[in-house]
Amino acid sequence: MRALHVGDDALLVEVSSGEEAQALHAELLRRRAEGSLAVREIVPAARTVLLDGLAEPARVAGELTTSEPPPAPPRARDVVELPVRYDGPDLADVAAHWGVSAEEVARIHAGTEFSVAFCGFAPGFGYLTGLPPRYEVPRRATPRTAVPAGAVALAGPYTGVYPRSSPGGWQLIGTTDTVLWDHTRVPAALLSPGTRVRFVPVASS
């Protein structure tokens, strides 16, 4: 574990894997909730956790870098189910990459329980892990200028759902009508780090 100072009151903590980042994020949230860590923001990413608004960043950095990595956090009880139509324009390409049929891609994807590792790119966008490494897929060689809201997509080890229309280079395998981000909802984001997610196939209309 390595802690890098960012400005006057922030630390970027680097770890060796996504699993360690999730565990560290959960542990830091626990410490803040119990009052042993005074920090304004705790933001996880693929292999880092940013702590912003620390009163004593040097002391916290020393504590973190001399301690053992925390154990994996307990799994969330509730599972968010996202209805999905496996009708994406890249479904056939993903099937060819996996060496299976399009129907099998849908079966494998829907049969996987995912977990939100971290959020970013756009409000409400979660990077979901869960697929075995053999199902990793490359990004498209040429990104699309506009990906529709609700597109279910794959890139590298991650699954994601576009919360709004935006450019993107992920492989599109399906569509959901679920609203991922709603500023009138509390919380606005349906998905947050640690959320368990399952995709439920529905028939295309």
Side-chain angles (χ1 to χ4, degrees):
M1 196 181 307
R2 185 168 70 140
L4 305 175
H5 289 267
V6 181
D8 295 330
D9 60 357
L11 291 174
L12 185 68
V13 185
E14 296 180 340
V15 292
S16 60
S17 69
E19 290 76 14
E20 287 189 12
Q22 292 177 53
L24 178 61
H25 176 243
E27 172 63 13
L28 294 172
L29 288 176
R30 185 193 67 79
R31 293 185 188 181
R32 183 171 67 176
E34 73 176 13
S36 63
L37 175 66
V39 60
R40 184 171 61 249
E41 297 286 345
I42 304 173
V43 184
R47 291 182 176 84
T48 62
V49 180
L50 175 69
L51 292 86
D52 190 23
L54 290 165
E56 300 178 276
R59 180 183 63 80
V60 174
E63 291 177 356
L64 291 175
T65 54
T66 57
S67 61
E68 292 293 322
R75 295 177 64 81
R77 291 184 179 180
D78 296 333
V79 178
V80 173
E81 293 188 343
L82 301 179
V84 57
R85 299 181 297 278
Y86 285 97
D87 58 1
D90 300 320
L91 184 61
D93 291 341
V94 171
H97 187 79
W98 287 5
V100 301
S101 67
E103 292 76 14
E104 185 69 359
V105 170
R107 188 195 66 79
I108 292 168
H109 192 260
T112 301
E113 182 175 284
F114 294 89
S115 176
V116 180
F118 57 97
C119 297
F121 167 62
F125 188 93
Y127 289 77
L128 280 61
T129 57
L131 285 171
R134 66 181 178 275
Y135 295 128
E136 293 186 12
V137 297
R139 294 170 181 260
R140 288 174 51 84
T142 303
R144 292 180 170 89
T145 56
V147 175
V152 178
L154 306 178
Y158 301 112
T159 289
V161 181
Y162 284 76
R164 64 187 183 193
S165 178
S166 63
W170 289 34
Q171 307 281 356
L172 308 184
I173 64 169
T175 311
T176 181
D177 294 327
T178 302
V179 176
L180 277 294
W181 176 268
D182 181 353
H183 72 277
T184 66
R185 183 173 59 198
V186 180
L190 180 64
L191 306 180
S192 59
T195 302
R196 297 162 62 196
V197 178
R198 277 195 176 276
F199 292 89
V200 180
V202 296
S204 299
S205 56

